[in-house]
Amino acid sequence: EIYIPDRYAEGYGISLAGIEYAEQHNFTLIIALDCGIKSSELVELATLRGIDFIICDHHLPDDTIPNAVAVLDPKQENCEYPYVELSGCGIGFKFMQGYAQKHRNENELYEYLDLVAVSIASDIVPITGENRTLTYFGLIKLNENPRPGLKALKEIAGIKNELDVSGIVFTLGPRINAAGRIAHARAAVELLVSQTEQDANTLAEKLNLKNEIRKQFDSDITGEALAMIEGNEVLRTAKSTVLFKNTWHKGVIGIVAARCVEKYYRPTVILTESNNKITGSARRVSGFDLYGAILECSELLEKFGGHKYAAGLTLDINNLESFQQKFEQVVSSTITEDMLTPVLEIDIPIEFDVITSKFLNILKQMAPFGPENPRPVFEATDVYVFNSLSSFKDKHVRFLAKQKNNENIFQVVGFDMAEHYDRLSCGDYFKMAFTIEENSYNGFTSIQLRIKDIKFCES
């Protein structure tokens, strides 16, 4: 049986309620996925009640490893597994693989690689090593012959082109996560394991509605959080952000933390009230040890966990002010000005005439792209708007671009670049950082440049 903890009633991961449910229904084994590495006391309790644990986790462990029947976590000390960055689902897949090698046909597992690819992309783990291999083959399955649940999600999201890692992060991932953010996460599992297209389509509709609600919560709370920072001189000039409001929706505070990092670019913790405790999500900036900073504040926390990209924490309401002060103190003493400044790394300057279909095919061999294997970023100078400048959704721009002394013309799109519209319309030359991608529309495929940043020439 599948047991998903209710994030509002039980919190994240292994819970007393889950163990009691297993006991009441005569289960003698719990396989914990993407959690459990810091649940020594609960595993001990389960053992006393005749319930074994197998832990499949990828989070950083405490000094004490739970006394389970088996613990699969490549981040534990002395683990000899050669790749440490598997996603939580990836650990589960390796467990299945190990079992299949002894008891089943291992080839059966490959039909599940679409789920593994969705997990790797959504968990924001490095697209290197084994993750890159699993994602590569998982994307083939996802694009050519996905299981009914993922096929239904793709259709309801209006996906017509091939999905890559970024596509999963912005389309499928949020819809799957919306189930647990707004209500109970079991709805997402029911969709992913659905066997018929009819069931999958019905469940996908429900998830999509939850995602629309989630987006509204996200927008409203992000607006409040940014206004709190903007309206407070101390918060505005701090090296970190720690915000609390007891009415904020627990399901979206991680997203809000990421939005605040985008705007103010510093380690951020967003907190709300749940079950008479303060609970929150933290997000980092590049190069900063977020988990280490939270560890420094551990005497003020009831529990915490995570990895270098993100973390979660729970504390007593009486410790809120002390935590805000301590976290700011720790961050201020360890972060550098370089870490507080977002940097766009350019791989190489190129001319427009280099960008051809053959060049794009070479780039595609480096895919799938994602964390620690990013899509190459190029720089071109003396670029100008040649034709067809337009703004859409009041946030984005699109135009045809040319480069001085170069005949090639490319479609260019800039997301969240509408602030540059007036200057672009003047025909000024600019320097552009961009990625190169394939754009398919109405059966026609062309090369498209996606803007990462623009700098206008002052002369």
Side-chain angles (χ1 to χ4, degrees), residues 8 10-11 38 65 76 136 222 256 260 382 429 439 445 449:
Y8 302 102
E10 302 169 60
K38 301 182 79 169
I65 302 296
Q76 63 184 312
Y136 176 84
T222 298
V256 173
C260 290
D382 294 330
Y429 286 110
N439 182 45
T445 300
L449 311 183

Side-chain angles (χ1 to χ4, degrees), residues 28-73:
T28 57
L29 172 65
I30 297 174
I31 300 172
L33 185 67
D34 203 16
C35 63
I37 195 63
K38 301 182 79 169
S39 300
S40 295
E41 292 181 8
L42 286 168
V43 170
E44 195 67 40
L45 175 65
T47 303
L48 294 173
R49 298 187 182 189
I51 300 167
D52 291 332
F53 256 95
I54 294 173
I55 292 171
C56 302
D57 202 352
H58 73 138
H59 294 102
L60 290 163
D62 285 333
D63 293 336
T64 303
I65 302 296
N67 188 25
V69 171
V71 177
L72 281 71
D73 186 337

